[in-house]
């Protein structure tokens, strides 16, 4: 994604921001996982984690 150049995703289908005060982003990937990471341009892969995997 151009907004987060340090991250890559496996067929992303949706991106949403958190509705609480945590300033996180959630990306749904087509194979069945959801990734979460801080909403900042220079986010690194170490800051990204999988919160759901139903692949």
């Amino acid at each position: 994604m151009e907004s987060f150049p340090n991250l890559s995703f496996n067929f992303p289908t949706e991106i949403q921001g958190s509705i609480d005060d945590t300033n996180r982003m959630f990306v749904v990937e087509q194979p069945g996982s959801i990734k979460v990471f801080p909403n900042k341009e220079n986010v690194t892969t170490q800051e990204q984690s999988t919160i759901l995997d139903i692949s």
Side-chain angles (χ1 to χ4, degrees), residues 5-49:
N6 298 329
L7 302 180
S8 62
F9 301 98
N10 188 12
F11 298 106
T13 60
E14 180 75 26
I15 184 168
Q16 293 289 323
S18 61
I19 59 171
D20 55 14
D21 291 330
T22 59
N23 197 26
R24 299 176 295 166
M25 298 300 291
F26 298 88
V27 174
V28 177
E29 296 177 319
Q30 188 173 10
S33 62
I34 299 176
K35 307 285 182 159
V36 62
F37 54 91
N39 185 12
K40 59 182 185 177
E41 184 177 349
N42 61 347
V43 64
T44 64
T45 56
Q46 291 80 15
E47 296 174 286
Q48 177 185 5
S49 62

